[in-house]
Structure formats: C-alpha cells, structure tokens
C-alpha cells in the first residue's frame, strides 16, 4: 500500500487503481492452472433463481470465507440481473463497486487467495406465478439440487423437501417412462444375474421390483 501511495504521489484513488492493476496482472499468470475443486452457489431475486459454479485449485481455498463470499455475490448478481450467459455475467459491472466488472472482481479475489479461480457455469430458473422453485444445498455447496413444481407458487417448502431427497438418492430420471430402453434392458440383465437359481416366476417378480 505504501509503495502504491508513493507511486501515486499520495493520491489515494490513484493508489487504489495501481493496486488493482497489479492484482489483475498477477492474476493473469495463474489463469492456466487447473481448477478441479469448487462449489455451487444459489442466488434468488424476484425475477429468478440462479445457480453458479465457481472452481479453485484446492479444496482448502474453496472453504475460505473470501471464496464463499465471491461465490455468493456472483450467484446473487446473476439472479438480480436474470443473466443466463456466463460471458455476459462476467462482463457485468459489480453492483457493490461499479468501477469493476465481475471478471475484474474475480481477478482481485485471485490475487487475495493466491490461486486460479474460475466461474465455470451459470444456470438460471426464471420465476413465474405458476411455478414453485425449491433449492437444497448439500455438503456446503458440493451438491446443489433445484426442483421446479408447476401449478402455482407457494409450494417452495415442498419443492425443497423433494430436492433434499434427490440429493440423497441421486436419481437419473424423473419417472420410469423416461428411462431409455437400452438402460432398462441392461439393468434387467444385471438384476437377473443377482437372483440366479430361483424359479422363473419369482425371478421375473424380483427383476420387475428392482
């Protein structure tokens, strides 16, 4: 800070600009590093619910409060502006500091935490009077489930309860009718292999149940 003030001849605002520029320059050198750890954050506004995935290099950094705050703020920015495009989101001005974009804010967080940080995905669920949206976050954002119920608003608690069960069971399909025939045939073959040596009618009943 003292170096920046010296360079700026004591001008506080100019010194802040110098620090920002140096931070963003140092962030560029980290951009190529792999980011295999991350969390999903949820933001909600009157217009939409937004889910955003932010990754870092290590699980240690994803548990840092600055990382979590950045995740929370980016998700809320997406929900407030109802943005479902990642490039558009990152070029948006940060509502708490309009002098920087969200991507520049990301660079400042990178400088602070010392790791490459990447916003990987954004997913938007627009609200409407005939929908109830429930969000359940598991393991601090490692798994996040969104459930949308049609038929009217006001059932968000039910939607969240269903989302909690989805997080626990990890189903791949919403109903049996959605299961592709090839997947069903493979599962039936595996189920028959598990109940060998029993009468055919009993085997069929067990396979149907599974």
């Amino acid at each position: 800070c003292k170096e920046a003030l010296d360079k700026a001849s004591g001008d506080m605002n100019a010194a802040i600009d110098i620090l920002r520029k140096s931070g963003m320059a140092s962030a560029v050198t980290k951009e190529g590093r792999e980011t295999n750890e991350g969390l999903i954050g949820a933001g909600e506004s009157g217009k939409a619910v937004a889910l955003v995935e932010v990754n870092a290099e290590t699980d240690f950094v994803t548990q840092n409060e600055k990382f979590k705050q950045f995740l929370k703020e980016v998700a809320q920015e997406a929900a407030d502006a109802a943005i479902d495009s990642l490039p558009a989101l990152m070029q948006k001005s940060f509502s708490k500091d309009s002098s920087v974009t969200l991507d520049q804010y990301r660079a400042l967080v990178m400088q602070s935490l010392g790791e490459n940080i990447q916003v990987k995905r954004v997913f938007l669920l627009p609200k409407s009077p005939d929908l109830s949206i429930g969000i359940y976050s598991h393991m601090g954002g490692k798994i996040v489930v969104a459930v949308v119920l049609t038929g009217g608003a006001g059932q968000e608690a039910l939607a969240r309860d269903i989302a909690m069960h989805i997080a626990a069971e990890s189903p791949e399909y919403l109903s049996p009718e959605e299961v592709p025939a090839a997947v069903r045939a493979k599962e039936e073959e595996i189920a028959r292999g598990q109940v060998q040596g029993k009468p055919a009618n009993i085997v069929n009943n067990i396979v149907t149940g599974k």
Side-chain angles (χ1 to χ4, degrees), residues 5-70:
L5 281 167
D6 287 343
K7 286 181 183 178
S9 301
D11 185 324
M12 183 73 78
N13 290 329
I16 290 171
D17 289 342
I18 289 169
L19 286 172
R20 280 181 168 164
K21 287 174 183 175
S22 67
M24 288 167 197
S26 68
V28 169
T29 65
K30 301 181 178 73
E31 292 282 357
R33 298 182 190 171
E34 289 189 9
T35 53
N36 296 322
E37 299 291 336
L39 299 174
I40 300 164
E44 184 173 1
S45 68
K47 295 185 271 188
V49 172
L51 302 180
V52 174
E53 177 187 349
V54 179
N55 288 6
E57 297 173 43
T58 64
D59 188 58
F60 178 76
V61 161
T62 66
Q63 299 308 311
N64 183 283
E65 287 306 314
K66 285 186 179 179
F67 180 91
K68 291 180 178 179
Q69 182 66 23
F70 173 70

Side-chain angles (χ1 to χ4, degrees), residues 42 49 87 133 179:
V49 172
I133 302 173
V179 183

